[in-house]
Amino acid sequence: GENVEQHPSTLSVQEGDSAVIKCTYSDSASNYFPWYKQELGKGPQLIIDIRSNVGEKKDQRIAVTLNKTAKHFSLHITETQPEDSAVYFCAASRGEGGTSYGKLTFGQGTILTVHP
Amino acid sequence: KAGVTQTPRYLIKTRGQQVTLSCSPISGHRSVSWYQQTPGQGLQFLFEYFSETQRNKGNFPGRFSGRQFSNSRSEMNVSTLELGDSALYLCASSLGGQVRETQYFGPGTRLLVL
């Protein structure tokens, strides 16, 4: 089955710096890659996603890049703020019918701390 | 639009008991997926329901089961609880028409098995 590796497990940055989190996946049939942010006591919240027909997507301070050949994708947060502090998860889905419905395979998470 | 709601938010049970958790999806969403989140194993997919039918299932023992009602609300049941079942149980809803749809998560039910 699909396996998603996420690095680093913890990331500490100063306010205003950039943060980069990287994920690799094993299933070459995966073609949907969302990123979630989870704050303490809350469920994961989607912050950005990318589908395999594009290589990069940006939404204000957040961007995601995808390299299907190398089977890796990355989350980039620029101008970090203390409220960006949370656990970030990458995920992958095959995006086809049958055994793909509803199933996201998650990375292990990255604890991001932004120091004021 | 109201988000995904889960009840109860917290639950304490003892080994051998069973538990039922409830999830109400976003209005108009017909797909509900369930995940287990633990510090050691992370977020793991349990199963997905659409139009009252289980479409997909993860690698969990048969003690974990679920169902979906005609109004898309879903329940999951864990029988014969074990200490290792202590976890945050999350449900997520999506429209359900396609596999690459955005999933919206609820706040979760935190289950503690003593």
Side-chain angles (χ1 to χ4, degrees), chain A residues 42-109:
Chain A
K42 297 183 179 180
Q45 178 187 11
L46 180 78
I47 54 172
I48 196 167
D49 58 11
I50 191 168
R51 290 167 173 81
S52 63
N53 56 335
V54 295
E56 185 173 358
K57 184 177 178 181
K58 191 173 182 179
D59 182 6
Q60 299 183 338
R61 298 187 295 109
I62 294 172
V64 57
T65 59
L66 170 65
N67 183 327
K68 286 217 75 179
T69 302
K71 290 192 282 189
H72 67 70
F73 56 112
S74 301
L75 177 71
H76 304 253
I77 305 175
T78 58
E79 300 172 25
T80 54
Q81 302 166 3
E83 49 266 38
D84 293 329
S85 297
V87 182
Y88 290 80
F89 292 95
C90 62
S93 169
R94 294 198 77 185
E96 299 169 350
T99 58
S100 298
Y101 283 113
K103 182 178 181 179
L104 293 173
T105 301
F106 284 87
Q108 289 295 84

Side-chain angles (χ1 to χ4, degrees), chain B residues 43-86:
Chain B
L43 279 151
Q44 293 187 291
F45 172 75
L46 281 156
F47 29 65
E48 186 260 4
Y49 286 87
F50 176 79
S51 290
E52 303 178 66
T53 300
Q54 186 182 87
R55 281 196 303 196
N56 200 2
K57 187 178 187 305
N59 297 322
F60 278 82
R63 300 184 298 106
F64 293 82
S65 62
R67 60 177 176 169
Q68 187 180 36
F69 303 94
S70 59
N71 61 357
S72 295
R73 189 177 69 86
S74 177
E75 290 181 346
M76 69 162 282
N77 183 276
V78 187
S79 62
T80 319
L81 284 166
E82 300 177 359
L83 295 179
D85 296 333
S86 294

